[in-house]
Amino acid sequence: MRIALEEAQAAADKGEAPIGAVLVDPATGEVLARAGNAPISRSDPTAHAEILVMREAAQRLGNYRLTGLTLVVTLEPCAMCAGAISHARIGRVVYGAEDPKGGAVAHGPRFFEQKTCHWRPEVEAGVLGAESATLLRDFFRARRKPAKAEAAF
């Protein structure tokens, strides 16, 4: 999760929502891919951190099935990412902060609990969740602050 948090901070430094992800082979401990959110910089609405690491690992491994791997992400995955996780056959998902508004694992559609979900990973929530939530909260709070009015002369 520390690596995912580094990726989240790097994304924030580029003006992207501070969400980071890492895909790990638990058998070897090898980090297969790491990324931060990049939909703005890539002009790609699907460039969520989770999608980027799955794409990179699939290319690296030469297989779209990522069975047995562990996805670590700083924020509860959305419906799009949960669907991709299921299709990729990710073995385990570990996430930090919960996302009551846009999350799809413990909130919203609870994707992995649906009868139509054909692959359900093991899920662990709340790992460094407070740290992940603080990074997100601070990023968006800074964006909402009104700019100081210039003094009138």
Side-chain angles (χ1 to χ4, degrees):
M1 186 61 80
R2 289 277 173 217
I3 295 170
L5 282 164
E6 288 172 15
E7 291 295 328
Q9 183 60 60
D13 293 344
K14 296 173 187 167
E16 301 277 1
I19 301 162
V22 180
L23 199 56
V24 179
D25 181 343
T28 64
E30 180 184 7
V31 173
L32 298 169
R34 56 189 289 170
N37 253 27
I40 298 167
S41 61
R42 291 183 182 219
S43 299
D44 178 358
T46 69
H48 290 195
E50 301 96 307
I51 300 294
L52 296 175
V53 297
M54 285 187 278
R55 285 179 182 157
E56 183 180 333
Q59 286 295 309
R60 184 173 172 186
L61 298 172
N63 192 342
Y64 73 108
R65 296 285 192 222
L66 303 172
T67 308
L69 300 181
T70 298
L71 174 68
V72 180
V73 61
T74 57
L75 183 66
E76 177 183 349
C78 69
M80 174 184 69
C81 293
I85 289 164
S86 180
H87 283 282
R89 308 290 200 269
I90 299 285
R92 183 169 183 240
V93 175
V94 177
Y95 68 86
E98 290 195 346
D99 186 1
K101 201 171 178 181
V105 176
H107 298 88
R110 298 179 186 223
F111 189 89
F112 303 130
E113 294 176 22
Q114 300 305 312
K115 285 188 271 184
T116 55
C117 180
H118 57 277
W119 179 265
R120 293 168 178 82
E122 176 186 328
V123 175
E124 182 178 353
V127 175
L128 296 180
E131 207 168 318
S132 297
T134 297
L135 184 60
L136 283 155
R137 193 171 21 261
D138 291 351
F139 176 83
F140 287 109
R141 185 175 291 140
R143 296 235 170 320
R144 285 191 295 267
K145 276 187 179 176
K148 269 192 165 181
E150 291 185 34
F153 291 101

